[in-house]
Every structure is written in structure tokens, then in C-alpha cells.
Amino acid sequence: MSGSVVVRARRVVLPDGERAAAVHVTDGVVTAVTGFDDAGDDPVTLAEDEVLLPGLVDSHVHVNEPGRTEWEGFASATRAAAAGGVTTIVDMPLNSIPPTVDVKALQVKRQVAEGQVSVDVAFWGGAVPGNAGQLTRLLADGAVGVKCFLLDSGVPEFPPLDDAGLRAALTALAAVDGLLIAHCEDDDVIAAAPDPAGTSYPAFLASRPGAAEETAIGRLIAAARDTGARVHVVHLADAGALPMLRAARAEGVRITVETCPHYLTFAAEDVPDGDTAFKCCPPIREATHRDALWAALEAGDIDLVVSDHSPCTAELKRLDVGDFGLAWGGIAGLQVALPAVWTGARARGLALGDVVRWMSEAPARLTGLTGKGGIAVGRDADLVAFAPDEQWRVGALHHRNPVTPYAGRELTGVVRRTWLRGQLLEEGAAPLGRLISRPRGA
């Protein structure tokens, strides 16, 4: 954008704490953060019940376009992001066709996304068998890192890495200090578990035991230790893995970990049989896991919270038969991630500053997007007016498909306005988002 604007509030969440402040913006960048009364002429002043937050960074979004655009798409996903206070998403390399496993496929993604994104979009590359030689090229072309699966991904065009493939990828990435993020479940453990079938949620849960996460995370830790590479565990559901993650970090293994709003909100005991909107992999586990994940966030043992927005068509969710064995596994929750996490955090006496650290600052740091992640001089003026005490019930969302386990749930906290680089995002207006890359050297 060009021009200047000042946005002020009695409560602003800043990197050094929360206070009344005025945020000065010129040409889309924060140029000063001053006292509330030092706002110049005609500032935008938030209502008394609103808090000014930095835009969230969701580093785990499956947009699915091209190839499976009927599942989601850049236009619908980024509209949902904007409505939920998410000003930057990072698109996952799989479920689209082609998957983002080489520079040509990354260029295809960019061509398709160009001109239709309402928020800023960055991209992950993918690590699959035989493409270790492509990984540094993907990073050089702007991918923020690369993702792999340690078991069947569910789509044939994105196969998993075995241990040799994992180590080959990590060796290539370590040479340029690149990041590998991994879906950690173990095929052998799952093969030995009961097959998922039918409407019973406990039966589905038994088909993907916590030991599958722990075994795969152990493999990742060992490979990271041996290669010196940076690694990240996506969507941790199993609290039983936390001790090994703590121990690995204590010995210097460069490993970080995320969890997701659905693991912090729901519990297996409350999932109705046949309600396949709740199916995801790894699965939503028992309340004891949920509580331990919250404790790990508070202690700093889990670094960030991201949506793992992974929608599909209503037909693929198989709500008609409620069979957890047949249904696609993935939770649609991009638009409600902030209020869902805030609802749980507030109930536990945690602060908005904690939520901002998990959902804006930490994902920006993980992905090297240095212009994002906080309200500070020199960063993009991505801002959110959030009413933290307002309650609402989840109804229609901007996601392309309406299936979500959040449907009808009462949440606390409403996103009232979102600014991207100082420009107010208005429903129905031309999309203002940009395609962004990890800065060189970040």
C-alpha cells in the first residue's frame, strides 16, 4: 500500500507485553509504536472491548489447489484466513496435483495462486523418495522449508520417506541449514494395530495408537542428531512423546514441535460415534492428552499452534455412513483457530500474549518470515481487532466445504477487523495478498 495510517487501542499486544499504544504505518510497514495519545490526526481507534493483535501466521494449511480445488482453493482458504485474523498462511506441498516436490511444481502453485489471495501466502516444498537433490533448489526458489511423511500420506503422488530417504534429505538440508518438517507416525506400529472400520470412534483411535507417534518421533530425533539438521514435528497429538522431545532438546538436537487447535479443544471421550468430521491423523486423543498438551505449551515444550487445515468435500467425509475407516482424515478449522485456542487459553488463566506467541511469533520464526509475527518497527503492519470477551456460535464459514467439528460450538473471541500491511481487508473487495518467500539468509 501507499500512504499512512495510525491504529490505536487501549490494549495492544506487543513483543514486550500488552499496553495502550498507537501503531503508525507508512507504505504497509510499522514505522513507530507510540503512546495512545501520540497518534496524530484522525487515527483509527479500536472500541473499548477490542484488543489489537498482530496478524496470525498459520504455517500448516492444505490449500489443495491445483488438482483438488474442489476440496479448498487459494481464494476460499485465504478469505477464511482473513476472517479469522490470519494474515499469512504457508501452503503444504501435498494434496495438490502436482505436489510441490520440485521448482517447476512450486512455480505452478504460484501461477495458480497469483491474484486470488486475500492474505499473504508462502509455500513449503516436499521431500519424497528420490528428490533429495531438489531440496536445496526449492529453498533457493523461496520455499520456507520442506515437509515429509514417515508413513503413507494418503495420496499416492506424495510417498513417504524410509529411514535412508529421511537421512538423505536431512544431509542435503543440513548443508544449507534448511528445515525439514515431518508427519510423525510409524507404519509398522499402525500395521500391528486393529484396522479402522465402522462408526466407533474408540475403534478408530485404537487403530492409530500413541506409540505410532512416539516411534516415528524417535526416528526423526535420531536422524536429526546424526545429521545436525533442523527438524520440526507437525501436529503433535500424543503427550507421551513429550519426554523424548524434552530430552532431545536438552542434548542439543535442533527440534521444534507444534500442536493444533483441535487437539487442544476436543477430547476422544466427547467425539460422537459416526461423526467423521472429527477424523484426523494423528487422531484426537483422550482428555489427559489434551490437558498435557496445554501444560506443555505453557512450559515451552511445544513451540507453536497452527491449524493443520485439511478439508475435503462433504462426500469424502462419508457422513452418510459415519465410517471412520472410509472417511478422509482432516480437520477444517482455519477460520476458527484463533477463537478456539483463545477459548481454551482463557479458561486456563492464560493471556492473549501467550496465544500471540504460539500463533504469530513462533510460526513466523519457524518459517523465517522475518517481516511477520509481531507489531514492531520494520515489520509488516498486519493487524487484527479482536474482541476477546464476545461469545458466538460457529455457523457458516468461508471454507469451500462446510464440514467441520466446530459447527455449532460456542467459542469466545471475535475477529472484527483485519488489516494486511495497513490496508483493511473488506469482504467482497479485490484480494490484497501477496506471494512471499523466505528471505535469503533467514
Side-chain angles (χ1 to χ4, degrees):
M1 69 167 280
S2 59
S4 300
V5 66
V6 178
V7 183
R8 67 178 183 173
R10 292 293 178 185
R11 296 177 61 190
V12 182
V13 177
L14 299 165
D16 58 352
E18 183 184 304
R19 64 179 184 272
V23 180
H24 300 249
V25 181
T26 301
D27 295 337
V29 175
V30 177
T31 54
V33 179
T34 65
F36 180 87
D37 294 323
D38 186 16
D41 298 328
D42 198 29
V44 176
T45 302
L46 269 59
E48 289 296 317
D49 67 336
E50 294 176 342
V51 182
L52 189 66
L53 309 179
L56 303 191
V57 178
D58 192 335
S59 57
H60 197 145
V61 178
H62 294 270
V63 176
N64 306 326
E65 185 177 9
R68 293 188 175 93
T69 310
E70 69 275 14
W71 295 15
E72 193 58 279
F74 285 103
S76 54
T78 57
R79 282 196 300 268
V86 177
T87 51
T88 305
I89 67 168
V90 189
D91 171 62
M92 281 290 164
L94 73 157
N95 298 348
S96 58
I97 302 172
T100 317
V101 296
D102 54 38
V103 168
K104 182 178 179 181
L106 178 56
Q107 291 169 346
V108 168
K109 276 273 182 85
R110 288 187 174 127
Q111 289 164 3
V112 169
E114 187 70 50
Q116 63 166 332
V117 296
S118 296
V119 301
D120 287 353
V121 178
F123 300 91
W124 293 105
V128 295
N131 84 328
Q134 294 287 331
L135 303 183
T136 58
R137 297 178 200 173
L138 280 163
L139 298 181
D141 202 50
V144 300
V146 297
K147 181 182 186 178
C148 75
F149 270 68
L150 299 184
L151 84 169
D152 181 10
S153 71
V155 291
E157 68 276 1
F158 200 93
L161 296 181
D162 61 14
D163 202 55
L166 173 63
R167 287 166 183 266
L170 289 177
T171 299
L173 291 167
V176 294
D177 200 31
L179 172 68
L180 180 129
I181 68 173
H183 180 127
C184 292
E185 289 181 282
D186 186 83
D187 258 333
D188 291 338
V189 173
I190 289 173
D195 288 335
T199 62
S200 166
Y201 187 77
F204 169 64
L205 186 59
S207 76
R208 299 188 87 103
E213 290 188 70
E214 293 161 31
T215 300
I217 289 170
R219 286 173 55 201
L220 184 67
I221 289 170
R225 181 190 293 118
D226 292 346
T227 59
R230 290 190 298 129
V231 297
H232 176 78
V233 175
V234 299
H235 52 48
L236 182 72
D238 171 56
L242 289 166
M244 74 171 73
L245 287 162
R246 277 195 296 267
R249 292 214 251 206
E251 68 170 87
V253 175
R254 297 197 296 165
I255 188 167
T256 50
V257 60
E258 69 188 42
T259 193
C260 303
H262 41 278
Y263 301 132
L264 299 170
T265 300
F266 304 114
E269 295 92 334
D270 303 324
V271 176
D273 281 354
D275 195 343
T276 51
F278 286 86
K279 180 180 176 179
C280 57
C281 301
I284 294 164
R285 302 196 185 279
E286 297 86 352
T288 53
H289 289 271
R290 179 184 62 191
D291 295 342
L293 294 174
W294 274 110
L297 272 169
E298 193 171 358
D301 293 326
I302 295 175
D303 302 275
L304 56 145
V305 182
V306 288
S307 70
D308 187 12
H309 179 67
S310 186
C312 66
T313 62
E315 291 76 16
L316 286 173
K317 269 298 186 183
R318 297 310 305 267
L319 291 166
D320 55 335
V321 294
D323 190 319
F324 284 98
L326 297 176
W328 175 262
I331 299 286
L334 173 58
Q335 188 172 333
V336 299
L338 171 57
V341 174
W342 170 237
T343 299
R346 186 176 188 262
R348 291 165 175 81
L350 298 166
L352 275 171
D354 297 315
V355 175
V356 165
R357 186 173 68 253
W358 304 327
M359 302 187 77
S360 184
E361 178 187 326
R365 184 170 56 247
L366 177 79
T367 53
L369 297 175
T370 53
K372 308 295 184 180
I375 300 172
V377 172
R379 293 193 185 177
D380 291 349
D382 300 341
L383 308 170
V384 176
F386 185 64
D389 300 321
E390 184 176 341
Q391 294 186 317
W392 63 290
R393 193 170 298 278
V394 178
L397 300 172
H398 289 282
H399 308 153
R400 178 163 303 218
N401 290 286
V403 180
T404 177
Y406 293 99
R409 190 173 184 89
E410 188 170 277
L411 298 175
T412 302
V414 171
V415 173
R416 291 190 179 156
R417 284 177 286 177
T418 302
W419 292 263
L420 180 68
R421 291 185 304 279
Q423 289 188 276
L424 183 64
L425 300 181
E426 298 182 273
E427 192 169 340
L432 300 174
R434 297 177 183 171
L435 307 183
I436 59 176
S437 297
R438 181 186 179 95
R440 291 186 182 275

